[in-house]
Amino acid sequence: SRGIWDPDEGRYTNVALNMLDSGDWVDPRRNDDVGHWTKPPLTYWAIASSVQLFGRNPWAARLPIAFAYLLCVMLTWRLARRLAPGAEPVAALAFATMLMPALASQLVTTDFILAAFETLAITAYVEGLFGASERRLRWWLVMWTAFGLAFLTKGPPALLPLIAILLFEWLVPARTSDRGRRFAAAIAFLAVVVPWYATVGVRHPGLLQHFLGAEVVGRVASDQFGRNGEWYGWATVYLPTFMVGALPWTPTVVRWLRTLPAKVKRWRFRAERLVDREELLLVLWTVVPLAVFCVSRSRLPLYVLPLFVPIALLVARQRQSEPRSFPSLRWIVVTVAGILGLRIAMIFWPTPQNTAEWAAEIQKRSTGPVTEVVFINDVPRYGLKLHLDAEVERVSIASVNGVRFNPPFDDTLANELAEAEPGVVYVTQAKHWPALERSI
C-alpha cells in the first residue's frame, strides 16, 4: 500500500489510468494528447482492470504483479514434477524466498507479468514433451498462447525462451513425430498478437517501424537509453543481481555452477544429452536469454527476473544430489523476516520518488481542486495520476521538436498557458525560475 514510486511505477500506472478515463484500451497514452509507445498494452490492461475492480489505490495497481508472482511459484512447483521429481516443495520455496523475486513482486513493471507468461509457456512445452501423447496438441496451443501474451507484454524479448527451446530441440531431437503439429499450433500466437499490432499499425503509420527500430534494435545495439551500456555493464548489473538476488540460496547456486563445466563437457555426446535432458533444458533456458541480455547495450536488473524460475529448479536438482546444500530453516526464516522488513521500511522510506508525498505537498499549497500538474523542464511524476487523479504533463520553456513517437516534451509552456485551463499546478526546479519568469 505504499505510494507509487516514479519513474517506472508511475509511468505504468499513469498509462493504465488514462486507458480507464478515456475508454480507449488500444492506444497507450501518457496524457490526453501524447501517446506512450514503449511497451505493448497487456500490463496496462492488467493494471487498469484491477483498478476498475478494486478502486484507485496503490494496492489495486500492484495486485496483478502479486498474482504474477504467485503464478510463478505455482508453475515452478509444477515444472519440478517433470524436471526435478520429488523436489517440488524445494523448487517452489526457493523461488518464493529468493530476494529478487520476493521484492520484485511489489513493483509495478512489466517484468513479473512477462515472467509469468514465459514460465507458463515453458511449463506447457515441458508437459507436451514429457506428458501423455493425447494431450500434446493442447499443450502446444497453451505454449503458443502464453508466448503471445508474453509478446503483448514486452514485445520481441519475450521470445528468448523460444530460442532456448529451439536449441534444445536441435540438441535433443524429439522421439515423437508431431513436430509439425507443434509448430502449426503457432496459429494461437498469431491470434493473440496480430489484432493489437495490426490495429495500432493502421492507426499510426510508422509505429511498427518505431517499435522495431527504437525499442528493439536501439536497446540492443546502442546506449541511447543510458542503461549501463558500457562494455563491462553486464558484469556490474547482472553479477550482483544474481549473487544478491538469489539469497539465501546463493551458496547452492554457486555449488551447482562448479559442476557445470563437467556437465557441458559430457553433453558433447548425444546419449549423455538424452540422459540429462531435463537439466540441459534448464541450462539453455537460463543461458540463452542471459547471453542476449549481456550482449545488449541496455541492461537493468529486472530484465533477468524470469531467469530466477530455472535457477530455482536447478537449486532443487542440486538439493537432490547434495542434501547439505539446502539452507537451514533459520536462514529461510531470517530471509522472509528480512523481506517483510524491507517492504515495511519502503513504506516510510523518505524518497523524492514517492509520489504520494508529492501529492500531499501539492494539496497543501492548492486552494482548490487540482486537475492537472505540469512539470516545466523537469522530470514528470506520473504517479500523481493515481494519487491526485490529475493529468500529468511535461512542457518546455523553449520550443520543442516534432518527434512523432515518445517526444521528450508534451508541449511548450506558451501553448500550455494559452489553454487557460482551471485547476492547473505548475512545478519547476528553482534553477529554472529566472528563465521561467522571463518566459511568462
Side-chain angles (χ1 to χ4, degrees):
S1 295
R2 62 174 171 80
I4 294 295
W5 282 14
D6 272 294
D8 290 341
E9 289 195 317
R11 186 169 63 249
Y12 292 114
T13 304
N14 172 62
V15 175
L17 294 179
N18 281 326
M19 284 185 170
L20 273 181
D21 292 343
S22 67
D24 182 359
W25 290 58
V26 176
D27 292 355
R29 298 179 180 276
R30 64 194 196 200
N31 52 57
D32 290 342
D33 303 314
V34 181
H36 184 72
W37 302 106
T38 61
K39 297 291 187 295
L42 198 144
T43 300
Y44 311 132
W45 292 345
I47 297 169
S49 300
S50 180
V51 169
Q52 192 169 38
L53 285 172
F54 300 107
R56 292 187 176 230
N57 57 73
W59 181 86
R62 293 193 176 96
L63 189 60
I65 285 75
F67 274 134
Y69 164 72
L70 295 175
L71 179 59
C72 284
V73 174
M74 185 192 74
L75 292 173
T76 302
W77 180 296
R78 173 135 195 170
L79 277 165
R81 292 172 55 191
R82 300 291 187 189
L83 303 178
E88 295 91 337
V90 177
L93 180 65
F95 181 81
T97 58
M98 282 181 178
L99 194 61
M100 178 74 163
L103 291 180
S105 66
Q106 305 297 305
L107 299 176
V108 183
T109 69
T110 60
D111 300 284
F112 234 125
I113 295 178
L114 174 68
F117 287 131
E118 287 186 347
T119 304
L120 177 59
I122 295 290
T123 303
Y125 172 75
V126 168
E127 290 293 336
L129 188 65
F130 294 97
S133 58
E134 64 271 13
R135 297 182 180 178
R136 281 178 182 150
L137 180 58
R138 187 185 312 171
W139 284 117
W140 306 147
L141 289 170
V142 172
M143 180 189 79
W144 283 109
T145 300
F147 273 128
L149 294 170
F151 200 90
L152 274 183
T153 303
K154 207 164 185 177
L159 300 183
L160 291 175
L162 182 60
I163 300 175
I165 288 175
L166 294 174
L167 185 55
F168 175 78
E169 292 272 317
W170 177 66
L171 292 171
V172 186
R175 297 173 183 175
T176 60
S177 58
D178 58 1
R179 183 172 295 180
R181 287 195 305 160
R182 190 180 316 172
F183 290 100
I187 191 172
F189 174 86
L190 298 176
V192 170
V193 169
V194 168
W196 182 79
Y197 278 94
T199 301
V200 297
V202 171
R203 284 188 179 185
H204 308 279
L207 176 61
L208 298 184
Q209 291 89 328
H210 166 78
F211 269 135
L212 184 61
E215 296 300 323
V216 179
V217 176
R219 290 180 185 273
V220 172
S222 72
D223 190 26
Q224 67 183 60
F225 295 95
R227 294 180 173 178
N228 306 289
E230 303 85 1
W231 67 267
Y232 53 86
W234 63 273
T236 59
V237 174
Y238 297 135
L239 286 180
T241 298
F242 285 117
M243 291 296 101
V244 178
L247 290 172
W249 306 85
T250 303
T252 308
V253 175
V254 171
R255 278 193 286 270
W256 173 81
L257 283 171
R258 290 173 181 171
T259 69
L260 185 58
K263 292 174 181 176
V264 171
K265 187 176 180 179
R266 192 170 68 243
W267 289 340
R268 292 179 300 171
F269 306 101
R270 184 176 183 275
E272 296 294 338
R273 294 198 297 269
L274 287 171
V275 172
D276 292 345
R277 59 178 182 164
E278 293 88 355
E279 186 155 358
L280 176 60
L281 177 59
L282 291 173
V283 170
L284 292 174
W285 182 8
T286 307
V287 170
V288 171
L290 180 58
V292 175
F293 292 139
C294 288
V295 171
S296 171
R297 298 284 302 279
S298 180
R299 308 178 182 105
L300 289 176
L302 284 175
Y303 289 175
V304 297
L305 176 64
L307 305 185
F308 280 83
V309 174
I311 290 173
L313 290 161
L314 289 167
V315 164
R317 289 180 62 89
Q318 183 68 17
R319 167 70 175 88
Q320 290 178 312
S321 62
E322 186 186 3
R324 288 179 298 175
S325 66
F326 190 72
S328 66
L329 179 61
R330 180 186 301 175
W331 271 110
I332 294 173
V333 171
V334 168
T335 299
V336 172
I339 291 169
L340 294 175
L342 282 171
R343 289 180 180 169
I344 294 171
M346 289 168 72
I347 297 174
F348 304 102
W349 188 265
T351 170
Q353 272 62 52
N354 187 350
T355 49
E357 296 181 8
W358 277 81
E361 293 300 327
I362 288 173
Q363 287 175 322
K364 285 181 186 178
R365 292 160 169 77
S366 302
T367 57
V370 177
T371 60
E372 186 175 336
V373 182
V374 178
F375 289 85
I376 306 170
N377 284 62
D378 194 12
V379 177
R381 311 290 170 166
Y382 286 116
L384 293 171
K385 177 67 176 178
L386 184 141
H387 289 294
L388 281 180
D389 194 18
E391 184 173 298
V392 180
E393 292 192 27
R394 185 190 190 202
V395 303
S396 172
I397 297 176
S399 61
V400 296
N401 54 20
V403 178
R404 285 191 62 196
F405 302 111
N406 301 327
F409 294 94
D410 300 327
D411 209 339
T412 63
L413 176 62
N415 290 341
E416 187 65 34
L417 289 170
E419 293 177 2
E421 296 174 314
V424 181
V425 172
Y426 294 87
V427 181
T428 192
Q429 296 181 41
K431 65 182 181 181
H432 296 313
W433 175 246
L436 174 60
E437 192 174 29
R438 290 194 300 271
S439 177
I440 293 174

